[in-house]
Amino acid sequence: TLGESEAKFPLLSRAQARAAIARHKNEVLGLTRQTDGGGGMFISETFIGALEVAMHAYGGVLQVAEILRTPNGNPFAWPSFDDESTQATRTKEGKAVGTATDLAFQKTSWGAHKYESGVLKVTYETLRDVPLDLPSLIGRAFGERFGRKQNVDMTTGDGANGPQGIVTGATSSGVTTAAAATITFDNLIDLIHSIDPAIRGMGCGFMFNDAVAKILRKLKDGESRYLWQPSVLAGVPDTIFTYPVNYNYNMADPAAGTKSLLFGKLDAYKVRQVGAVRSYRADELYLAEEKVGFMAFLEADGGILNPSKSAAGAPIKYLTQGA
């Protein structure tokens, strides 16, 4: 409750978060605003539920990434191996097994970069008089703040002093458009086929911002049929060439030389989160203003897990806008 001076809130799993987002969307679509003499009542979720929904809604990368939560912030190594150059051999009855080889394990290490929400000050009169579900409203505000900042880092971060962004870690597809603000039918086909066929069947999808979406929604085939297929089911994304589309508002607008569009196995981007959001209430800090301060902290890191040693085997690739 808001009366607690300190609290820890275990983060939801990705499946739980997605379910919460779906519930939230359904509730918003069917929400009836209740009014009273004071002007209005807000129906909202609990603090951590509201925080999770807002953080994922404002974090396009979090919606597609594989998320792993650890109980502490020690460096975490994610193992993988690259065995794509090795294949089985035919043999004959009674023949000894051939040459033994070592499985070449690799590891990618994730840290725990600290994020803070900033202080949200609430007046004594608000805490006493306003008929709102303040824990949910504060949770939503913190979730939006965390979501905005983390998504910037997890989209274009350099990986040195924070997470490696999904665009930063992606491999070039070798596809460059003919002009700075155009993307063609053939560009998309070339981008799709730059991904190994074995990977293309493992949950691949597109990622881009709204400016790119506006270009893609206008693309038609030779029969004047739109390539973009709107979904008719709530919570199910639209598709292009049967692959789901995912919005990321921190990706670049189409302009000369920008990496405007991603395609591939987007959950190859891994997010490591330390397992609890820490929330604090500071009663004395703003006593002279007769206000109470609320703040929250979390720790996270992210990057693409790419076990392949060759660009051809990269799980996520980008398209470059031409001049």
Side-chain angles (χ1 to χ4, degrees), residues 11-18 21 50-65 67 69 143-144 146-147 150-151 273:
L11 291 164
L12 305 175
S13 69
R14 186 171 67 160
Q16 290 171 324
R18 283 181 170 174
I21 292 170
L51 187 150
E52 283 281 353
V53 168
M55 188 164 67
H56 281 73
Y58 282 83
V61 175
L62 288 177
Q63 294 180 24
V64 300
I67 298 174
R69 300 211 165 96
E144 290 178 5
F146 285 136
Q150 284 188 106
N151 199 62
Q273 293 179 338

Side-chain angles (χ1 to χ4, degrees), residues 215-238:
I215 295 173
L216 299 181
R217 289 181 69 92
K218 299 175 183 178
L219 291 180
K220 300 177 182 178
D221 64 16
E223 302 296 326
S224 296
R225 295 171 298 193
Y226 287 103
L227 299 181
W228 187 293
Q229 296 296 314
S231 172
V232 296
L233 298 175
V236 177
D238 297 346

Side-chain angles (χ1 to χ4, degrees), residues 107-138:
K107 65 179 181 180
T108 304
S109 183
W110 275 261
H113 302 289
K114 190 173 182 179
Y115 292 84
E116 54 97 355
S117 64
V119 179
L120 197 159
K121 297 191 291 184
V122 182
T123 66
Y124 166 78
E125 290 81 3
T126 297
L127 289 171
R128 182 192 65 191
D129 299 334
V130 177
L132 301 177
D133 182 1
L134 282 174
S136 290
L137 296 180
I138 292 173

Side-chain angles (χ1 to χ4, degrees), residues 81 97 137 174 210 220 275 293 306:
F81 65 88
V97 175
L137 296 180
D210 199 52
K220 300 177 182 178
N306 181 8

Side-chain angles (χ1 to χ4, degrees), residues 59-203:
V61 175
L62 288 177
Q63 294 180 24
V64 300
E66 181 176 2
I67 298 174
L68 181 72
R69 300 211 165 96
T70 59
N72 57 55
N74 295 332
F76 176 77
W78 198 307
S80 63
F81 65 88
D82 178 15
D83 197 42
E84 65 179 14
S85 62
T86 306
Q87 60 182 350
T89 59
R90 289 192 303 274
T91 188
K92 295 181 179 180
E93 183 178 347
K95 187 174 181 179
V97 175
T99 304
T101 59
D102 292 327
L103 186 59
F105 275 97
Q106 306 172 60
K107 65 179 181 180
T108 304
S109 183
W110 275 261
H113 302 289
K114 190 173 182 179
Y115 292 84
E116 54 97 355
S117 64
V119 179
L120 197 159
K121 297 191 291 184
V122 182
T123 66
Y124 166 78
E125 290 81 3
T126 297
L127 289 171
R128 182 192 65 191
D129 299 334
V130 177
L132 301 177
D133 182 1
L134 282 174
S136 290
L137 296 180
I138 292 173
R140 186 175 69 189
F142 287 167
E144 290 178 5
R145 294 179 183 187
F146 285 136
R148 291 189 190 102
K149 177 56 179 171
Q150 284 188 106
N151 199 62
V152 171
D153 291 352
M154 292 178 181
T155 300
T156 57
D158 62 10
N161 300 308
Q164 177 202 58
I166 191 170
V167 175
T168 309
T171 300
S172 174
S173 64
V175 179
T176 301
T177 66
T182 63
I183 301 171
T184 67
F185 187 111
D186 289 348
N187 291 150
L188 295 182
I189 293 175
D190 289 340
L191 177 61
I192 290 170
H193 285 271
S194 72
I195 295 289
D196 189 306
I199 298 175
R200 291 206 301 268
M202 299 171 65

Side-chain angles (χ1 to χ4, degrees), residues 28 39 48 101 104 166 168 207-208 224 251 253 258 274 323:
V28 169
I48 190 60
T101 59
I166 191 170
T168 309
M207 178 175 277
F208 41 74
S224 296
M251 285 188 64
D253 288 340
T258 61
V274 179

